[in-house]
Coordinates of all heavy atoms in Angstrom, one line a residue:
M1 N 96.9 -18.9 59.3 CA 96.4 -20.1 60.0 C 97.0 -21.3 59.3 O 96.8 -21.6 58.2 CB 94.9 -20.0 60.0 CG 94.2 -21.1 60.9 SD 94.4 -20.6 62.7 CE 93.3 -21.7 63.4
V2 N 97.4 -22.3 60.1 CA 97.9 -23.5 59.6 C 96.8 -24.6 59.6 O 96.0 -24.7 60.5 CB 99.0 -24.3 60.5 CG1 99.7 -25.3 59.9 CG2 100.0 -23.1 60.9
E3 N 96.7 -25.2 58.4 CA 95.6 -26.2 58.2 C 95.8 -27.5 58.9 O 97.0 -28.0 58.8 CB 95.6 -26.5 56.7 CG 94.4 -25.9 55.9 CD 94.4 -26.3 54.5 OE1 95.0 -25.5 53.7 OE2 93.9 -27.4 54.2
R4 N 94.8 -28.0 59.5 CA 94.8 -29.3 60.0 C 94.8 -30.3 58.8 O 94.2 -30.0 57.8 CB 93.7 -29.5 60.9 CG 93.7 -30.8 61.7 CD 92.5 -30.8 62.6 NE 92.5 -32.0 63.3 CZ 92.0 -32.2 64.5 NH1 91.2 -31.3 65.1 NH2 91.9 -33.5 65.1
L5 N 95.4 -31.5 59.0 CA 95.4 -32.3 57.8 C 94.3 -33.2 57.8 O 93.6 -33.5 58.9 CB 96.7 -33.2 57.9 CG 98.1 -32.5 58.0 CD1 99.1 -33.5 58.3 CD2 98.3 -31.9 56.6
S6 N 93.9 -33.5 56.5 CA 92.8 -34.5 56.4 C 93.4 -35.9 56.8 O 94.6 -36.1 56.8 CB 92.3 -34.6 55.0 OG 93.2 -35.1 54.1
E7 N 92.5 -36.9 56.9 CA 93.0 -38.1 57.3 C 93.9 -38.8 56.4 O 95.0 -39.3 56.6 CB 91.7 -39.1 57.4 CG 91.8 -40.1 58.6 CD 92.6 -39.7 59.9 OE1 92.3 -38.8 60.5 OE2 93.6 -40.5 60.1
A8 N 93.7 -38.6 55.1 CA 94.5 -39.1 53.9 C 95.8 -38.4 54.0 O 96.9 -38.9 53.8 CB 93.8 -39.0 52.6
Q9 N 95.8 -37.1 54.0 CA 97.1 -36.3 54.1 C 97.9 -36.7 55.2 O 99.2 -36.8 55.1 CB 96.7 -34.8 54.1 CG 96.1 -34.2 52.9 CD 95.7 -32.7 53.1 OE1 95.0 -32.5 54.3 NE2 95.9 -31.8 52.3
R10 N 97.2 -36.8 56.4 CA 97.9 -37.2 57.6 C 98.7 -38.4 57.4 O 99.8 -38.6 57.8 CB 96.9 -37.2 58.7 CG 97.4 -37.2 60.1 CD 96.4 -37.4 61.1 NE 96.8 -37.3 62.4 CZ 97.7 -38.0 63.1 NH1 98.1 -39.2 62.5 NH2 98.0 -37.9 64.3
T11 N 98.0 -39.4 57.0 CA 98.6 -40.8 56.7 C 99.9 -40.6 55.8 O 100.9 -41.2 56.2 CB 97.6 -41.7 56.3 OG1 96.4 -41.7 56.9 CG2 98.2 -43.2 56.1
A12 N 99.6 -40.0 54.8 CA 100.7 -39.9 53.8 C 102.0 -39.1 54.5 O 103.1 -39.5 54.3 CB 100.3 -39.2 52.6
L13 N 101.7 -38.1 55.1 CA 102.7 -37.3 55.7 C 103.5 -37.9 56.9 O 104.7 -37.9 57.0 CB 102.1 -35.9 56.1 CG 102.1 -34.9 55.2 CD1 101.4 -33.6 55.6 CD2 103.7 -34.3 54.8
V14 N 102.6 -38.5 57.8 CA 103.2 -39.3 58.9 C 104.1 -40.4 58.5 O 105.1 -40.8 59.2 CB 102.1 -39.6 59.9 CG1 102.6 -40.5 61.0 CG2 101.5 -38.3 60.6
E15 N 103.8 -41.0 57.3 CA 104.7 -42.1 56.7 C 106.1 -41.6 56.5 O 107.0 -42.4 56.4 CB 104.1 -42.6 55.5 CG 103.0 -43.7 55.9 CD 102.3 -44.2 54.7 OE1 102.7 -43.9 53.5 OE2 101.3 -45.0 54.9
L16 N 106.2 -40.3 56.4 CA 107.6 -39.7 56.1 C 108.5 -39.7 57.3 O 109.7 -39.5 57.3 CB 107.5 -38.2 55.6 CG 106.7 -38.0 54.3 CD1 106.5 -36.6 54.0 CD2 107.4 -38.6 53.1
V17 N 107.8 -39.9 58.5 CA 108.7 -39.9 59.7 C 108.3 -41.1 60.5 O 107.6 -41.0 61.7 CB 108.3 -38.7 60.5 CG1 109.0 -37.3 59.9 CG2 106.8 -38.2 60.7
P18 N 108.8 -42.2 60.0 CA 108.3 -43.6 60.7 C 108.8 -43.8 62.1 O 108.5 -44.6 62.8 CB 109.0 -44.6 59.8 CG 110.1 -43.9 59.0 CD 109.6 -42.5 58.9
E19 N 109.8 -43.0 62.6 CA 110.4 -43.0 63.9 C 109.3 -42.5 64.9 O 109.5 -42.7 66.1 CB 111.7 -42.4 64.1 CG 112.8 -42.6 63.0 CD 113.4 -44.0 63.4 OE1 113.1 -44.6 64.4 OE2 114.2 -44.5 62.6
W20 N 108.3 -41.8 64.4 CA 107.4 -41.1 65.2 C 106.1 -41.9 65.4 O 105.6 -42.5 64.3 CB 107.1 -39.7 64.8 CG 108.4 -38.9 64.8 CD1 109.4 -38.9 63.9 CD2 108.5 -37.8 65.8 NE1 110.3 -38.0 64.4 CE2 109.9 -37.2 65.4 CE3 107.8 -37.2 66.8 CZ2 110.5 -36.1 66.1 CZ3 108.5 -36.2 67.5 CH2 109.7 -35.6 67.2
R21 N 105.5 -41.9 66.5 CA 104.3 -42.7 66.7 C 103.1 -41.7 67.1 O 103.4 -40.6 67.5 CB 104.4 -43.7 67.8 CG 104.7 -43.1 69.2 CD 104.9 -44.3 70.3 NE 104.9 -43.7 71.6 CZ 105.9 -43.0 72.2 NH1 107.1 -43.0 71.6 NH2 105.8 -42.5 73.3
A22 N 101.9 -42.2 66.9 CA 100.7 -41.4 67.3 C 100.7 -41.2 68.8 O 100.9 -42.2 69.5 CB 99.5 -42.0 66.7
A23 N 100.4 -40.1 69.3 CA 100.2 -39.9 70.8 C 98.9 -40.5 71.2 O 98.0 -40.6 70.4 CB 100.3 -38.4 71.0
E24 N 99.0 -40.9 72.4 CA 97.7 -41.5 73.0 C 96.8 -40.4 73.4 O 97.2 -39.4 74.1 CB 97.9 -42.3 74.2 CG 98.1 -43.7 73.9 CD 98.4 -44.6 75.1 OE1 97.7 -44.5 76.1 OE2 99.4 -45.2 75.0
G25 N 95.5 -40.3 73.0 CA 94.5 -39.4 73.5 C 94.5 -38.0 72.8 O 93.8 -37.2 73.2
R26 N 95.5 -37.8 71.9 CA 95.3 -36.4 71.2 C 96.1 -36.5 69.9 O 96.8 -37.5 69.5 CB 96.2 -35.5 72.1 CG 97.5 -35.7 72.6 CD 97.7 -34.6 73.7 NE 98.0 -33.3 73.0 CZ 98.9 -32.4 73.5 NH1 99.6 -32.7 74.5 NH2 98.9 -31.3 73.0
D27 N 95.7 -35.6 69.1 CA 96.2 -35.6 67.7 C 97.6 -35.0 67.6 O 97.7 -33.8 67.6 CB 95.2 -34.8 66.8 CG 95.7 -35.0 65.3 OD1 96.5 -35.8 65.0 OD2 95.1 -34.2 64.4
A28 N 98.6 -35.8 67.8 CA 100.0 -35.3 67.9 C 100.9 -36.6 67.6 O 100.4 -37.8 67.6 CB 100.2 -34.9 69.3
I29 N 102.2 -36.3 67.3 CA 103.2 -37.4 67.1 C 104.2 -37.3 68.1 O 104.6 -36.2 68.6 CB 103.7 -37.3 65.6 CG1 104.3 -35.9 65.4 CG2 102.8 -37.9 64.6 CD1 105.1 -35.9 64.0
V30 N 104.8 -38.4 68.5 CA 105.7 -38.6 69.6 C 107.0 -39.4 69.1 O 106.8 -40.3 68.5 CB 105.1 -39.2 70.8 CG1 106.0 -39.3 72.0 CG2 103.7 -38.6 71.2
R31 N 108.1 -39.0 69.7 CA 109.3 -39.8 69.6 C 110.0 -39.8 70.8 O 110.2 -38.7 71.5 CB 110.1 -39.4 68.5 CG 111.3 -40.3 68.1 CD 112.1 -40.1 67.0 NE 113.3 -40.9 66.9 CZ 114.4 -40.9 66.2 NH1 114.4 -40.0 65.3 NH2 115.4 -41.7 66.4
S32 N 110.5 -41.0 71.2 CA 111.4 -41.1 72.4 C 112.9 -41.3 72.0 O 113.2 -41.9 70.9 CB 111.0 -42.3 73.2 OG 109.6 -42.2 73.6
F33 N 113.7 -40.7 72.8 CA 115.2 -40.8 72.5 C 115.8 -41.2 73.8 O 115.4 -40.9 74.9 CB 115.8 -39.4 72.1 CG 115.0 -38.8 71.0 CD1 113.8 -38.1 71.2 CD2 115.6 -38.8 69.6 CE1 113.1 -37.5 70.1 CE2 114.9 -38.3 68.5 CZ 113.7 -37.7 68.7
R34 N 116.9 -41.9 73.6 CA 117.8 -42.3 74.8 C 119.3 -42.0 74.4 O 119.7 -42.2 73.3 CB 117.7 -43.8 75.1 CG 118.0 -44.3 76.4 CD 117.7 -45.7 76.5 NE 116.4 -45.9 77.1 CZ 116.0 -46.3 78.4 NH1 117.1 -46.4 79.2 NH2 114.9 -46.6 78.7
F35 N 119.9 -41.4 75.4 CA 121.2 -40.9 75.3 C 122.1 -41.6 76.4 O 121.7 -42.2 77.3 CB 121.3 -39.3 75.4 CG 120.5 -38.8 74.4 CD1 119.1 -38.5 74.7 CD2 121.1 -38.3 73.2 CE1 118.2 -37.9 73.6 CE2 120.2 -37.8 72.3 CZ 119.0 -37.5 72.4
P36 N 123.5 -41.6 76.1 CA 124.5 -42.2 77.1 C 124.3 -41.6 78.5 O 124.4 -42.3 79.4 CB 125.8 -41.8 76.5 CG 125.6 -41.5 75.2 CD 124.2 -40.9 74.9
D37 N 124.0 -40.3 78.5 CA 123.9 -39.5 79.9 C 123.0 -38.3 79.8 O 122.6 -37.9 78.6 CB 125.2 -39.3 80.5 CG 126.2 -38.5 79.6 OD1 125.6 -37.8 78.6 OD2 127.5 -38.7 79.6
F38 N 122.9 -37.6 80.9 CA 122.2 -36.3 80.9 C 122.9 -35.3 80.0 O 122.2 -34.6 79.3 CB 122.1 -35.8 82.3 CG 121.4 -34.5 82.5 CD1 120.1 -34.4 82.3 CD2 122.1 -33.4 82.8 CE1 119.3 -33.1 82.3 CE2 121.4 -32.2 82.9 CZ 120.1 -32.0 82.6
N39 N 124.1 -35.1 80.1 CA 124.8 -34.2 79.2 C 124.6 -34.4 77.8 O 124.3 -33.3 77.1 CB 126.3 -34.4 79.5 CG 127.1 -33.2 79.0 OD1 126.7 -32.0 79.3 ND2 128.2 -33.4 78.3
A40 N 124.4 -35.5 77.3 CA 124.1 -35.7 75.9 C 122.7 -35.4 75.6 O 122.4 -34.9 74.4 CB 124.5 -37.2 75.5
A41 N 121.9 -35.8 76.5 CA 120.3 -35.5 76.3 C 120.1 -34.0 76.3 O 119.4 -33.5 75.4 CB 119.6 -36.1 77.5
W42 N 120.7 -33.2 77.2 CA 120.7 -31.9 77.3 C 121.2 -31.2 76.1 O 120.6 -30.2 75.6 CB 121.3 -31.3 78.6 CG 121.1 -29.9 78.7 CD1 122.1 -28.9 78.6 CD2 119.9 -29.2 79.0 NE1 121.6 -27.7 78.8 CE2 120.3 -27.8 79.1 CE3 118.6 -29.6 79.3 CZ2 119.3 -26.8 79.5 CZ3 117.6 -28.6 79.6 CH2 118.1 -27.2 79.7
G43 N 122.3 -31.6 75.5 CA 122.8 -31.1 74.4 C 122.0 -31.1 73.1 O 121.7 -30.2 72.4
F44 N 121.3 -32.4 73.1 CA 120.3 -32.6 72.0 C 119.1 -31.6 72.1 O 118.8 -31.0 71.2 CB 119.9 -34.1 72.1 CG 118.8 -34.4 71.2 CD1 119.0 -34.4 69.8 CD2 117.5 -34.7 71.6 CE1 118.0 -34.8 68.9 CE2 116.5 -35.1 70.8 CZ 116.7 -35.1 69.4
L45 N 118.7 -31.5 73.4 CA 117.4 -30.6 73.6 C 117.9 -29.2 73.2 O 117.1 -28.5 72.7 CB 117.1 -30.7 75.0 CG 116.3 -31.9 75.4 CD1 116.2 -31.9 77.0 CD2 114.9 -31.8 74.8
S46 N 119.0 -28.8 73.5 CA 119.5 -27.4 73.0 C 119.5 -27.2 71.6 O 119.1 -26.2 71.1 CB 120.9 -27.1 73.6 OG 121.0 -27.4 75.0
R47 N 119.9 -28.3 70.8 CA 119.9 -28.1 69.5 C 118.5 -28.2 68.9 O 118.2 -27.4 68.0 CB 120.8 -29.3 68.9 CG 122.2 -29.1 69.0 CD 123.2 -30.2 68.3 NE 123.1 -31.4 68.9 CZ 123.7 -31.8 69.9 NH1 124.5 -31.0 70.6 NH2 123.6 -33.0 70.4
V48 N 117.6 -29.0 69.4 CA 116.3 -28.9 69.0 C 115.5 -27.5 69.3 O 114.8 -27.1 68.6 CB 115.4 -30.1 69.6 CG1 114.0 -29.9 69.4 CG2 116.0 -31.5 69.2
A49 N 115.9 -27.1 70.5 CA 115.4 -25.7 70.8 C 115.6 -24.7 69.7 O 114.9 -23.8 69.4 CB 115.9 -25.3 72.3
L50 N 117.0 -24.6 69.3 CA 117.4 -23.7 68.3 C 116.6 -23.9 67.0 O 116.2 -23.0 66.3 CB 118.9 -23.8 68.1 CG 119.7 -23.3 69.2 CD1 121.2 -23.7 69.0 CD2 119.5 -21.9 69.6
L51 N 116.4 -25.2 66.5 CA 115.6 -25.5 65.5 C 114.3 -25.1 65.6 O 113.7 -24.5 64.5 CB 115.6 -27.1 65.2 CG 116.7 -27.8 64.7 CD1 116.3 -29.4 64.6 CD2 117.0 -27.3 63.3
A52 N 113.7 -25.3 66.7 CA 112.3 -25.0 67.0 C 112.1 -23.4 66.9 O 111.1 -22.9 66.3 CB 111.8 -25.5 68.3
E53 N 113.0 -22.7 67.5 CA 112.9 -21.2 67.5 C 113.0 -20.8 66.1 O 112.2 -19.8 65.7 CB 114.1 -20.7 68.4 CG 113.9 -19.3 68.7 CD 112.5 -18.9 69.4 OE1 111.8 -19.8 69.9 OE2 112.2 -17.7 69.4
K54 N 113.9 -21.3 65.4 CA 114.0 -20.9 64.0 C 112.7 -21.1 63.1 O 112.4 -20.3 62.3 CB 115.2 -21.6 63.3 CG 116.2 -20.9 62.4 CD 117.2 -21.9 62.0 CE 118.2 -21.3 61.1 NZ 119.3 -22.3 60.8
A55 N 112.2 -22.2 63.5 CA 110.9 -22.6 62.6 C 109.6 -21.9 63.3 O 108.5 -22.2 62.8 CB 110.8 -24.1 62.6
D56 N 109.8 -21.3 64.4 CA 108.7 -20.7 65.1 C 107.6 -21.8 65.4 O 106.5 -21.7 65.2 CB 108.1 -19.5 64.5 CG 107.0 -18.8 65.2 OD1 107.1 -18.8 66.4 OD2 106.1 -18.2 64.7
H57 N 108.1 -23.0 65.8 CA 107.3 -24.0 66.1 C 107.8 -24.9 67.2 O 108.9 -25.4 67.2 CB 107.1 -25.0 64.8 CG 106.0 -25.8 64.9 ND1 104.6 -25.4 64.9 CD2 105.9 -27.2 65.1 CE1 103.9 -26.4 65.1 NE2 104.5 -27.5 65.0
H58 N 107.0 -25.0 68.3 CA 107.6 -25.3 69.6 C 107.0 -26.6 70.1 O 105.8 -26.8 70.3 CB 107.4 -24.2 70.7 CG 107.9 -22.9 70.1 ND1 107.2 -21.9 69.5 CD2 109.3 -22.5 70.0 CE1 108.0 -20.9 69.1 NE2 109.3 -21.3 69.4
P59 N 107.8 -27.5 70.4 CA 107.6 -28.9 70.8 C 107.2 -28.9 72.3 O 107.5 -28.0 73.1 CB 108.8 -29.7 70.7 CG 110.0 -28.8 70.5 CD 109.4 -27.5 70.2
E60 N 106.4 -30.0 72.7 CA 106.1 -30.2 74.1 C 107.2 -31.3 74.2 O 107.3 -32.3 73.5 CB 104.8 -30.7 74.3 CG 103.7 -29.6 73.9 CD 102.3 -30.1 74.1 OE1 102.0 -31.0 74.9 OE2 101.5 -29.7 73.2
W61 N 107.9 -31.2 75.4 CA 108.9 -32.4 75.6 C 109.1 -32.6 77.1 O 108.7 -31.8 78.0 CB 110.2 -32.0 74.9 CG 110.9 -30.8 75.3 CD1 110.9 -30.1 76.6 CD2 111.8 -30.0 74.5 NE1 111.7 -29.1 76.5 CE2 112.4 -29.0 75.3 CE3 112.2 -30.2 73.2 CZ2 113.2 -28.0 74.8 CZ3 113.1 -29.3 72.7 CH2 113.5 -28.2 73.5
S62 N 109.6 -33.8 77.4 CA 110.2 -34.1 78.8 C 111.5 -34.7 78.9 O 111.8 -35.3 77.8 CB 109.1 -35.0 79.5 OG 109.1 -36.2 78.9
N63 N 112.1 -34.6 79.8 CA 113.5 -35.2 80.0 C 113.6 -35.7 81.4 O 113.3 -35.0 82.3 CB 114.5 -34.1 79.7 CG 115.9 -34.3 80.2 OD1 116.4 -33.6 80.9 ND2 116.4 -35.5 79.8
A64 N 114.0 -37.0 81.4 CA 114.5 -37.6 82.8 C 115.9 -38.2 82.6 O 116.0 -39.2 81.8 CB 113.5 -38.5 83.2
Y65 N 116.9 -37.6 83.1 CA 118.2 -38.0 82.9 C 118.7 -38.2 81.6 O 118.8 -37.1 80.8 CB 118.5 -39.4 83.8 CG 120.0 -39.7 83.7 CD1 121.0 -38.9 83.9 CD2 120.2 -41.0 83.5 CE1 122.3 -39.3 83.9 CE2 121.6 -41.6 83.4 CZ 122.6 -40.6 83.6 OH 123.9 -41.0 83.4
N66 N 118.7 -39.5 81.0 CA 119.2 -39.6 79.7 C 118.0 -39.9 78.7 O 118.2 -40.3 77.6 CB 120.3 -40.9 79.6 CG 119.5 -42.2 79.9 OD1 118.5 -42.1 80.6 ND2 120.0 -43.2 79.5
K67 N 116.8 -39.7 79.2 CA 115.7 -40.0 78.3 C 115.0 -38.6 77.9 O 114.9 -37.8 78.8 CB 114.7 -41.0 79.0 CG 115.1 -42.3 79.1 CD 114.0 -43.2 79.7 CE 114.5 -43.9 80.8 NZ 113.4 -44.4 81.8
V68 N 114.6 -38.6 76.7 CA 113.8 -37.4 76.1 C 112.7 -37.9 75.5 O 112.7 -39.0 74.7 CB 114.7 -36.5 75.1 CG1 114.0 -35.5 74.5 CG2 116.0 -35.9 76.0
E69 N 111.6 -37.3 75.6 CA 110.4 -37.5 74.8 C 109.9 -36.2 74.2 O 109.8 -35.2 74.8 CB 109.3 -38.2 75.7 CG 108.1 -38.7 74.7 CD 107.1 -39.5 75.4 OE1 107.4 -40.7 75.6 OE2 106.1 -38.9 75.8
I70 N 109.6 -36.2 72.9 CA 109.2 -35.0 72.2 C 107.8 -35.2 71.6 O 107.6 -36.3 70.9 CB 110.2 -34.5 71.1 CG1 111.5 -34.3 71.8 CG2 109.7 -33.3 70.3 CD1 112.7 -33.8 70.8
L71 N 106.9 -34.3 71.8 CA 105.6 -34.4 71.2 C 105.3 -33.3 70.3 O 105.6 -32.1 70.7 CB 104.5 -34.4 72.3 CG 103.1 -34.5 72.0 CD1 102.3 -35.4 72.9 CD2 102.4 -33.3 71.7
L72 N 104.9 -33.4 69.2 CA 104.6 -32.3 68.2 C 103.1 -32.3 67.7 O 102.6 -33.3 67.3 CB 105.5 -32.6 67.0 CG 107.0 -32.6 67.1 CD1 107.8 -33.0 65.8 CD2 107.5 -31.2 67.7
T73 N 102.6 -31.1 67.9 CA 101.2 -30.9 67.5 C 101.1 -29.4 67.1 O 102.1 -28.7 67.6 CB 100.2 -31.4 68.5 OG1 98.9 -31.3 67.9 CG2 100.3 -30.5 69.8
T74 N 100.2 -29.1 66.3 CA 100.0 -27.5 66.0 C 98.9 -27.0 66.8 O 97.8 -27.4 66.4 CB 99.9 -27.4 64.5 OG1 101.1 -28.1 63.9 CG2 99.8 -26.0 64.2
H75 N 99.2 -26.3 67.8 CA 98.1 -25.7 68.6 C 97.2 -24.9 67.8 O 96.0 -25.1 67.9 CB 98.8 -24.9 69.7 CG 99.8 -25.7 70.5 ND1 101.1 -25.3 70.6 CD2 99.8 -26.9 71.0 CE1 101.8 -26.1 71.3 NE2 101.1 -27.2 71.5
D76 N 97.7 -24.1 66.9 CA 96.9 -23.3 66.0 C 95.8 -24.0 65.3 O 94.9 -23.5 64.8 CB 97.8 -22.3 65.2 CG 98.7 -21.4 65.8 OD1 98.5 -21.2 67.2 OD2 99.6 -20.9 65.3
A77 N 96.2 -25.2 64.9 CA 95.5 -26.0 64.0 C 94.6 -27.1 64.8 O 93.8 -27.9 64.3 CB 96.2 -26.7 62.9
G78 N 95.0 -27.3 66.1 CA 94.2 -28.4 66.9 C 94.5 -29.7 66.5 O 93.8 -30.6 66.8
G79 N 95.8 -29.8 65.9 CA 96.2 -31.2 65.6 C 97.4 -31.1 64.8 O 98.2 -30.2 64.7
V80 N 97.7 -32.4 64.2 CA 99.0 -32.6 63.4 C 98.8 -31.7 62.1 O 97.9 -31.8 61.4 CB 99.3 -34.1 63.1 CG1 100.6 -34.1 62.2 CG2 99.5 -34.8 64.4
S81 N 99.9 -30.9 61.8 CA 100.0 -30.2 60.5 C 101.3 -30.5 59.8 O 102.2 -31.2 60.4 CB 99.9 -28.8 60.8 OG 101.1 -28.3 61.3
R82 N 101.4 -29.9 58.7 CA 102.7 -30.1 58.0 C 103.9 -29.5 58.7 O 105.1 -30.0 58.6 CB 102.6 -29.2 56.7 CG 101.7 -29.8 55.7 CD 101.6 -28.9 54.4 NE 100.4 -29.3 53.7 CZ 100.3 -30.3 53.0 NH1 101.4 -31.1 52.8 NH2 99.2 -30.7 52.4
R83 N 103.6 -28.6 59.5 CA 104.8 -28.0 60.3 C 105.3 -29.1 61.3 O 106.6 -28.9 61.7 CB 104.2 -26.7 61.1 CG 103.8 -25.7 60.1 CD 103.3 -24.4 60.7 NE 104.6 -23.8 61.4 CZ 104.7 -22.8 62.3 NH1 103.4 -22.3 62.6 NH2 105.7 -22.3 62.7
D84 N 104.4 -29.9 61.8 CA 104.9 -30.9 62.7 C 105.8 -31.9 62.0 O 106.8 -32.3 62.5 CB 103.8 -31.5 63.4 CG 102.8 -30.7 64.2 OD1 103.4 -30.0 65.0 OD2 101.7 -30.6 63.9
V85 N 105.4 -32.2 60.9 CA 106.2 -33.2 60.1 C 107.5 -32.7 59.6 O 108.6 -33.2 59.8 CB 105.3 -33.8 58.9 CG1 106.2 -34.7 58.1 CG2 104.1 -34.4 59.5
A86 N 107.4 -31.3 59.4 CA 108.7 -30.7 59.0 C 109.7 -30.6 60.1 O 110.9 -30.8 59.9 CB 108.4 -29.3 58.4
L87 N 109.1 -30.3 61.3 CA 110.1 -30.2 62.6 C 110.5 -31.6 62.8 O 111.7 -31.7 63.3 CB 109.3 -29.5 63.7 CG 110.3 -29.2 64.8 CD1 111.5 -28.5 64.5 CD2 109.6 -28.4 65.9
A88 N 109.7 -32.5 62.7 CA 110.1 -34.0 63.0 C 111.2 -34.3 62.1 O 112.2 -35.1 62.6 CB 108.9 -34.9 62.9
Q89 N 111.1 -34.0 60.8 CA 112.3 -34.4 59.9 C 113.5 -33.7 60.3 O 114.6 -34.2 60.3 CB 111.9 -33.9 58.6 CG 110.8 -34.9 58.0 CD 110.4 -34.5 56.5 OE1 110.0 -33.3 56.3 NE2 110.3 -35.5 55.6
A90 N 113.4 -32.5 60.8 CA 114.6 -31.6 61.1 C 115.2 -32.2 62.3 O 116.4 -32.4 62.5 CB 114.3 -30.2 61.4
I91 N 114.3 -32.8 63.3 CA 114.8 -33.4 64.6 C 115.6 -34.6 64.2 O 116.6 -35.1 64.7 CB 113.6 -33.5 65.6 CG1 113.3 -32.2 66.0 CG2 114.1 -34.5 66.7 CD1 111.9 -32.2 66.8
D92 N 114.9 -35.3 63.3 CA 115.5 -36.7 62.9 C 116.8 -36.5 62.4 O 117.8 -37.4 62.6 CB 114.6 -37.4 61.9 CG 113.3 -38.1 62.5 OD1 113.2 -38.2 63.8 OD2 112.5 -38.4 61.8
A93 N 117.1 -35.4 61.7 CA 118.4 -35.2 61.0 C 119.4 -34.9 62.0 O 120.6 -35.1 61.7 CB 118.2 -34.0 60.0
I94 N 119.1 -34.4 63.2 CA 120.1 -34.3 64.2 C 120.2 -35.3 65.3 O 120.9 -35.3 66.2 CB 120.0 -32.8 64.8 CG1 118.7 -32.6 65.6 CG2 120.4 -31.7 63.7 CD1 118.8 -31.3 66.5
A95 N 119.2 -36.2 65.3 CA 119.1 -37.3 66.3 C 120.4 -38.2 66.1 O 120.8 -38.4 65.1 CB 117.8 -38.0 66.2
P96 N 120.7 -38.8 67.3 CA 121.9 -39.6 67.2 C 121.6 -41.1 66.4 O 120.3 -41.5 66.5 CB 122.2 -40.0 68.6 CG 120.9 -39.6 69.5 CD 120.2 -38.7 68.7
Ligands
LIG1 N1 104.3 -24.2 68.1 C1 103.4 -25.2 67.9 N2 103.9 -26.5 68.3 N3 102.1 -24.9 67.5 C2 101.6 -23.8 67.3 O1 100.6 -23.8 66.9 C3 102.6 -22.8 67.3 C4 103.9 -23.0 67.9 N4 102.2 -21.6 67.0 N5 104.7 -22.0 68.0 C5 103.1 -20.4 66.8 C6 104.4 -20.6 67.8 C7 102.4 -19.2 67.2 O2 101.7 -19.2 68.3 C8 103.2 -17.9 67.0 C9 102.3 -16.7 67.2 O3 103.8 -18.0 65.8

């Protein structure tokens, strides 16, 4: 079972991923991305899917043409956990 973070731990960890913002209405982090076109957005999503599968941690996301939004939360913990921050860092590393 993945532990949900305390408020202090959460603040400290979320500071490691400054590109991500708090989701509205739920305990989750979100980042928006914009690409030159759909092809680039889809290529990025494919790479994130491979990362997610490897980490056994799956994002909620949406895509409209060249825009992608990714939301990370740990369903098993009912909120943000270290696993979300770890995946956010991995996604940041492959983001344009
Ligand atoms: N992804 C996310 N985002 N949160 C989870 O709690 C989660 C997951 N749990 N991927 C994993 C899979 C779990 O259900 C399986 C059994 O490992």
Side-chain angles (χ1 to χ4, degrees):
M1 191 73 171
V2 191
E3 247 179 273
R4 187 176 178 159
L5 300 172
S6 72
E7 219 23 65
Q9 286 173 317
R10 192 184 190 289
T11 304
L13 271 169
V14 169
E15 274 172 10
L16 298 175
V17 286
E19 308 284 350
W20 296 72
R21 64 184 190 277
E24 263 177 57
R26 46 192 297 211
D27 188 11
I29 54 174
V30 185
R31 184 174 171 187
S32 301
F33 304 85
R34 200 179 270 259
F35 298 89
D37 54 25
F38 177 70
N39 194 44
W42 181 253
F44 173 69
L45 284 170
S46 305
R47 288 188 288 279
V48 173
L50 295 174
L51 281 180
E53 193 53 19
K54 217 174 182 179
D56 188 27
H57 197 64
H58 303 98
E60 294 176 35
W61 60 28
S62 67
N63 162 233
Y65 183 52
N66 65 338
K67 288 186 234 159
V68 169
E69 188 170 278
I70 299 181
L71 181 147
L72 300 174
T73 188
T74 301
H75 310 123
D76 296 346
V80 174
S81 77
R82 290 174 198 287
R83 299 187 65 194
D84 300 304
V85 176
L87 186 55
Q89 287 178 313
I91 292 170
D92 285 348
I94 61 164

